[in-house]
Amino acid sequence: MMRRVLVVAMFVLGLVATACSPIGTPPGPAPLRYRDDVFTGVTKTADITYGSAVNQAGQTVTLRMDMYQPTGDTVAARPAIVWVHGGSFCCGDKTSPELVDEANYFARKGYVNVSINYRLVASGCPGSDVNACVTGIAQAREDAQTAVRFLRANASRYRIDSGRIAIGGSSAGAITALNVGYSPENPGPGQWQGHSSAVGAVQSLSGAELASGPIDANDAPALLFHGTADGAVPYAWATSTVERAEAAGVLIVLRTWEGAGHVPYTQFRDQILTETRNFFYNQMDLAQAAR
């Protein structure tokens, strides 16, 4: 009898630990919106203009995003995710395959997703022009913040819960996502001023915080995925981000892949999607979101 009680107690404690973990699976009967697939179709709207900005060559760049929504959804206020592509700040596009996959995955669960383009710098990062690189990192953050503000300014039009917006990305996009999460006090220039550019949660695949300013207690919680053999964004940059966030009292979770390189999305796809789903659900309190 005592053994049976012990087994039951251990089982209950395991459930509690899972529920309390930042990446623990949210409880509830299936299908649970924002955890499970509740839609089979996804509607994509391409090339929505969310702003414009002048690049380092003095050219005015039109900023565009692709939107992915659950087909047939009628909920009036849905959580949203901004996805940011990689490419060393010189290259890449909002149609990056892993972002499209993530956007479709989360749309089927009831989210509004946008994948954005942002200003790029020809020399990239790292490049021959250090100042251009640093400016490019800052401009990417500013454009992503503009995208967040655009969603809030147009929340009624796109049926978005303005209090539940997350951001994620890969490589340069992950750096940008973290910089947005750690810069609510520094929204930068751009359209839709008067609306907050703060986010409720951040996902980073092979990224780190770079040049966002001090991390403080009001910044967003973050989930980082990183390989120890990453030759583009060193693993040490990720651990440094963790140390600074923890010192500031900000929740941060680092998922380490021993021996993995840069952006191993295909290799770890299931883990990335599942743990990002759980993290966003838990950190944005989606148990209380509209259904």
Side-chain angles (χ1 to χ4, degrees), residues 26-39 108-109 281 291:
L32 179 65
R33 189 180 175 107
Y34 311 125
R35 185 194 68 186
D36 305 323
D37 283 2
V38 291
F39 298 92
R108 290 192 295 270
K109 289 167 171 45
Y281 191 105
R291 283 175 158 74

Side-chain angles (χ1 to χ4, degrees), residues 1-279:
M1 181 66 179
M2 287 296 295
R3 182 176 181 276
R4 182 179 179 185
V5 170
L6 180 61
V7 169
V8 171
M10 291 176 66
F11 176 73
V12 171
L13 287 172
L15 288 178
V16 171
T18 299
C20 292
S21 167
I23 54 174
T25 301
L32 179 65
R33 189 180 175 107
Y34 311 125
R35 185 194 68 186
D36 305 323
D37 283 2
V38 291
F39 298 92
T40 57
V42 176
T43 299
K44 175 184 175 182
T45 306
D47 293 327
I48 298 170
T49 297
Y50 71 88
S52 64
V54 178
N55 66 15
Q56 294 186 57
Q59 303 163 326
T60 299
V61 177
T62 299
L63 303 171
R64 294 188 173 92
M65 60 173 58
D66 294 341
M67 181 173 287
Y68 299 79
Q69 304 182 68
T71 303
D73 190 16
T74 60
V75 170
R78 303 164 297 174
I81 307 172
V82 176
W83 295 105
V84 192
H85 69 81
S88 301
F89 295 99
C90 70
C91 312
D93 184 79
K94 55 187 170 61
T95 59
S96 185
E98 83 281 3
L99 299 190
V100 172
D101 187 42
E102 289 170 313
N104 278 279
Y105 174 90
F106 281 94
R108 290 192 295 270
K109 289 167 171 45
Y111 285 81
V112 177
N113 297 260
V114 295
S115 182
I116 68 169
N117 278 350
Y118 53 92
R119 282 172 289 176
L120 302 173
V121 53
S123 56
C125 295
S128 57
D129 189 335
V130 175
N131 289 332
C133 171
V134 172
T135 300
I137 292 172
Q139 290 183 342
R141 171 183 58 80
E142 292 167 3
D143 293 348
Q145 290 173 314
T146 298
V148 173
R149 293 195 299 270
F150 171 87
L151 295 182
R152 287 203 166 96
N154 293 276
S156 297
R157 177 180 180 182
Y158 295 114
R159 292 184 289 125
I160 290 170
D161 183 341
S162 62
R164 291 183 167 93
I165 299 176
I167 190 168
S170 305
S171 188
I175 291 169
T176 301
L178 286 165
N179 287 349
V180 170
Y182 293 144
S183 301
E185 77 291 344
N186 180 26
Q191 287 84 359
W192 315 106
Q193 296 293 330
H195 297 274
S196 173
S197 57
V199 294
V202 179
Q203 180 244 51
S204 163
L205 174 56
S206 300
E209 179 275 329
L210 294 178
S212 73
I215 300 174
D216 62 45
N218 295 320
D219 292 345
L223 171 62
L224 280 61
F225 298 99
H226 218 106
T228 59
D230 191 329
V233 180
Y235 181 70
W237 293 5
T239 59
S240 176
T241 302
V242 171
E243 291 169 0
R244 284 179 285 117
E246 289 180 340
V250 180
L251 175 65
I252 188 165
V253 178
L254 173 60
R255 304 294 280 162
T256 298
W257 299 314
E258 292 293 336
H262 192 58
V263 192
Y265 182 80
T266 301
Q267 183 179 359
F268 296 103
R269 176 183 181 272
D270 290 347
Q271 178 188 356
I272 293 166
L273 292 174
T274 299
E275 294 184 356
T276 300
R277 175 201 69 180
N278 297 350
F279 190 77

